[in-house]
């Protein structure tokens, strides 16, 4: 008697078969968050520094969009193999949860390399914001296609995006098979229209593409959106049951300027306007001070700070996100790239490596931010930042099947002493061979199955002269934090 017959006789719907099986891989099943202040604990307390559980020669079975089981490869039965439509040989590979980019502006691939070797204010006022006047909807589609292609190839299955013409980005996410948390950016200078568009987008697209798209409200920053509009944002977020994604406390000087002008820090502004209560991704938070913890701590279950270390190094902002202060206070830190116009790539493995090394350097402490901790930031904590910690960020039965297979039999990862360290310090994103999102293969043998990036890049290259023409003398906004 088959399972189907048994289920039918019992009056239940037949269980879907396991359609995809990955065998022979080393599986990073889950990480744990390290203890607070772990560098002060005895070095023998290894678990306190965070754990990454790797299971050698294991198999993963996928039913629908969900991980049905993770078990030793030898326990996969012939019947299970026969019933599966896709068998993936994972030998020589490590399977990790899909990487999550906690803060980006994906269509800005179109401005990659267009504003280099300049400080932040010049980056905005002399280059990016005047160029963004030239944007067409088609540019956003092309920019997003290139971005999603780049991310999927690098094992980045989800991204928290913040940009304009978000309908175009959502369409690209839907057709490419990727996953995203999308927010439509607005400034108070746009009046009611901006915030209403952001709310309307959040309502219309939340849960779309079989749930691969979730949404957030997208106020640009605490210095470009006034308090009254932030209060309205929180009302919309509460009504829609979505979070808010916002730039805040981006640098120590921004915090000082806010204290001088308003007497409060940007984080207190987020608290007082109700944004933290509704749940938030705070982009950068490099100006967060000890005193801000009293605003963040009560909402630690729903607030995260996205850190994009390469951008801070590049724009000569020393320090970056105070990851240790946040970690010790129990606040989630996600890993982000920021837009590719400042980060130059959308490569989360690169971003994790910068974060790990910047943190060791800032604290002059090689024992701080272990590779296990870095992996926890890139997987479980980033999933928590998206509000999806119960379904993503681990390879466990019942979790959604966003899975990345990385080839470890490459010279720069051999011989293997420490797989966690290899994944943070040795890996190249080009080692990613296979990527599944929601149980479906989107990268196979290192090639995209859903996007033709060559034709996209070609069309975008032809748009470059028009995008760079700022002779109109206009700008979408003035940067004066
Ligand atoms: Zn940003």
């Amino acid at each position: 008697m088959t399972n189907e017959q048994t289920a039918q006789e019992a009056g239940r719907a037949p269980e879907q078969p396991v359609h995809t099986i990955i065998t022979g891989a080393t599986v990073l099943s889950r990480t744990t968050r390290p203890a607070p202040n772990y560098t002060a604990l005895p070095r023998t307390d290894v678990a306190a520094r965070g754990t990454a559980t790797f299971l050698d020669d294991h198999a993963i079975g996928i039913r629908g969009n969900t991980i049905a089981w993770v078990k030793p490869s030898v326990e996969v039965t012939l019947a299970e193999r026969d019933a599966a439509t896709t068998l993936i040989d994972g030998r020589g590979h490590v399977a990790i949860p899909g990487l999550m980019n906690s803060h980006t502006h994906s269509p800005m691939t179109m401005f990659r390399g267009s504003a280099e070797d300049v400080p932040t204010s010049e980056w905005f006022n002399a280059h990016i914001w005047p160029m963004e006047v030239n944007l067409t909807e088609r540019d956003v589609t092309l920019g997003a296609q290139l971005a999603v292609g780049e991310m999927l190839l690098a094992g980045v299955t989800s991204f928290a995006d913040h940009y304009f013409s978000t309908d175009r980005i959502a369409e690209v996410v839907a057709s490419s098979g990727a996953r995203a948390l999308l927010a439509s950016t607005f400034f108070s200078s746009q009046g009611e229209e901006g915030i209403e568009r952001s709310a309307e987008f959040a309502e219309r697209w939340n849960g779309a593409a079989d749930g691969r798209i979730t949404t957030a409200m997208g106020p640009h920053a605490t210095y470009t959106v006034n308090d009254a509009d932030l209060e309205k944002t929180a009302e919309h977020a509460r009504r829609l049951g979505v979070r808010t994604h916002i730039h805040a406390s981006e640098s120590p000087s921004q915090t000082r300027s806010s204290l001088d002008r308003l007497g409060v820090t940007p984080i207190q502004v987020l608290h007082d306007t109700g944004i933290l209560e509704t749940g938030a991704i705070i982009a950068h938070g490099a100006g967060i001070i000890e005193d801000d913890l009293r605003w963040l701590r009560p909402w630690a279950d729903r607030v995260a700070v996205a850190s994009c270390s390469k951008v801070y190094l590049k724009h000569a902002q020393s320090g970056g996100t105070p990851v240790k202060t946040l970690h010790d206070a129990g606040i989630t830190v996600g890993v982000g790239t920021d837009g590719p116009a400042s980060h130059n790539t959308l490569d989360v493995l690169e971003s994790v490596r910068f974060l790990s090394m910047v943190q060791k350097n800032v604290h002059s402490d090689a024992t701080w931010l272990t590779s296990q901790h870095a992996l926890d930031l890139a997987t479980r904590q980033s999933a928590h930042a998206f509000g999806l910690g119960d379904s993503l960020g681990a390879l466990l039965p019942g979790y959604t099947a966003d899975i990345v297979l990385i080839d470890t039999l490459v010279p720069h990862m051999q011989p293997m002493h420490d797989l966690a360290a290899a994944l943070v310090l040795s890996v190249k994103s080009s080692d990613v061979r296979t990527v599944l999102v929601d149980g479906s293969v989107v990268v196979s043998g290192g090639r995209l199955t859903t996007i033709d990036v060559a034709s996209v890049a070609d069309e975008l290259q032809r748009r470059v002269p028009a995008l760079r023409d700022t002779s109109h003398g206009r700008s979408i906004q003035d940067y004066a934090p």
Side-chain angles (χ1 to χ4, degrees):
M1 187 183 288
T2 66
N3 284 341
E4 195 170 321
Q5 285 166 327
T6 314
Q8 278 167 352
E9 280 166 21
R12 288 179 281 120
E15 199 172 49
Q16 287 180 311
V18 166
H19 57 79
T20 299
I21 300 177
I22 301 166
T23 54
T26 299
V27 176
L28 172 57
S29 65
R30 63 166 300 155
T31 55
T32 59
R33 195 186 285 223
N37 292 307
Y38 64 83
T39 52
L41 298 171
R43 293 277 291 285
T44 47
D45 189 354
V46 177
R49 289 168 157 64
T51 59
T53 305
F54 292 103
L55 308 170
D56 284 334
D57 197 2
H58 266 58
I60 303 171
I62 300 165
R63 177 182 290 125
N65 68 347
T66 305
I67 297 173
W69 41 255
V70 179
K71 60 187 179 185
S73 298
V74 293
E75 292 180 14
V76 179
T77 65
L78 213 54
E80 283 170 332
R81 281 176 187 272
D82 286 347
T85 49
T86 307
L87 288 171
I88 298 169
D89 184 358
R91 284 175 299 174
H93 292 70
V94 58
I96 67 168
L99 296 163
M100 304 179 77
N101 188 347
S102 301
H103 174 68
T104 191
H105 314 282
S106 69
M108 293 183 83
T109 46
M110 69 184 109
F111 298 124
R112 189 189 334 252
S114 68
E116 299 297 331
D117 307 311
V118 292
T120 309
S121 56
E122 205 177 311
W123 187 88
F124 276 116
N125 289 331
H127 299 280
I128 300 298
W129 279 347
M131 285 194 289
E132 281 182 333
V133 170
N134 302 326
L135 279 186
T136 65
E137 299 261 316
R138 179 68 184 159
D139 293 331
V140 172
T141 296
L142 292 168
Q145 283 176 327
L146 187 61
V148 171
E150 179 186 351
M151 284 191 273
L152 291 177
L153 283 171
V156 182
T157 50
S158 305
F159 61 106
D161 214 22
H162 207 288
Y163 209 58
F164 313 105
S165 302
T166 12
D167 283 306
R168 303 291 83 78
I169 304 171
E171 287 159 7
V172 172
V173 173
S175 64
S176 66
R179 186 183 303 285
L181 170 64
L182 302 176
S184 170
T185 305
F186 65 92
F187 306 105
S188 282
S189 61
Q190 295 168 319
E192 278 295 299
E193 195 192 323
I195 188 168
E196 289 304 322
R197 194 188 312 120
S198 192
E200 190 269 335
F201 172 83
E203 184 165 16
R204 193 156 39 85
W205 282 94
N206 200 24
D210 298 324
R212 285 184 287 110
I213 294 176
T214 49
T215 57
M217 289 295 292
H220 174 261
T222 45
Y223 53 88
T224 47
V225 177
N226 62 41
D227 289 9
D229 282 347
L230 289 175
E231 282 171 13
K232 280 187 210 159
T233 301
E235 278 170 33
H236 281 300
R238 240 189 317 273
R239 175 175 64 82
L240 299 171
V242 302
R243 297 185 168 201
T244 299
H245 185 173
I246 183 168
H247 298 93
S249 196
E250 295 170 294
S251 65
S253 67
Q254 210 176 88
T255 299
R256 274 194 302 277
S257 140
S258 177
L259 281 167
D260 289 347
R261 282 183 299 117
L262 312 165
V264 291
T265 66
I267 300 299
Q268 188 178 346
V269 169
L270 295 185
H271 173 271
D272 293 351
T273 52
I275 295 287
L276 296 183
E277 187 186 344
T278 64
I281 294 181
I282 300 168
H284 311 309
I288 288 175
I289 56 176
E290 203 66 47
D291 195 47
D292 284 326
L293 296 178
R294 65 184 160 130
W295 311 118
L296 294 169
R297 266 205 192 95
W299 311 113
D301 63 338
R302 66 195 76 171
V303 164
V305 180
S307 188
C308 314
S309 300
K310 181 177 168 186
V311 174
Y312 316 140
L313 289 172
K314 194 177 143 181
H315 286 164
Q317 295 173 9
S318 55
T321 314
V323 176
K324 194 165 197 305
T325 303
L326 294 166
H327 172 75
D328 290 343
I331 311 297
T332 297
V333 174
V335 179
T337 61
D338 211 347
S342 50
H343 193 274
N344 299 72
T345 72
L346 291 159
D347 184 342
V348 169
L349 289 171
E350 181 188 32
S351 175
V352 176
R353 184 173 305 162
F354 271 111
L355 175 60
S356 150
M357 305 221 281
V358 164
Q359 283 296 309
K360 288 180 188 298
N361 187 264
V362 162
H363 295 282
S364 301
D365 182 357
T367 71
W368 162 242
L369 221 136
T370 62
S371 292
Q372 286 79 1
H373 188 176
L375 288 177
D376 189 57
L377 296 173
T379 57
R380 227 174 41 87
Q381 291 199 42
S382 290
H384 190 62
F386 279 64
L388 297 170
D390 293 336
S391 58
L392 292 171
L395 299 183
L396 296 169
Y399 274 61
T400 303
D402 288 11
I403 304 171
V404 175
L405 285 171
I406 297 174
D407 186 356
T408 55
L409 298 179
V410 287
H412 51 270
M413 280 202 269
Q414 291 295 319
M416 188 63 74
H417 290 273
D418 181 336
L419 187 46
L423 287 172
V424 175
L425 300 169
S426 307
V427 73
K428 298 175 195 282
S429 54
S430 52
D431 300 330
V432 169
R433 307 312 298 161
T434 306
V435 179
L436 291 90
V437 180
D438 224 34
S440 297
V441 174
V442 290
V443 172
S444 176
R447 303 186 82 87
L448 291 161
T449 63
T450 57
I451 306 172
D452 176 7
V453 279
S455 74
V456 169
D458 185 55
E459 188 177 344
L460 210 42
Q461 187 64 45
R462 280 183 272 121
R463 281 285 298 152
V464 165
L467 286 169
R468 291 183 69 88
D469 179 10
T470 55
S471 59
H472 48 67
R474 291 180 290 131
S475 181
I476 62 157
Q477 181 72 27
D478 181 37
Y479 181 76

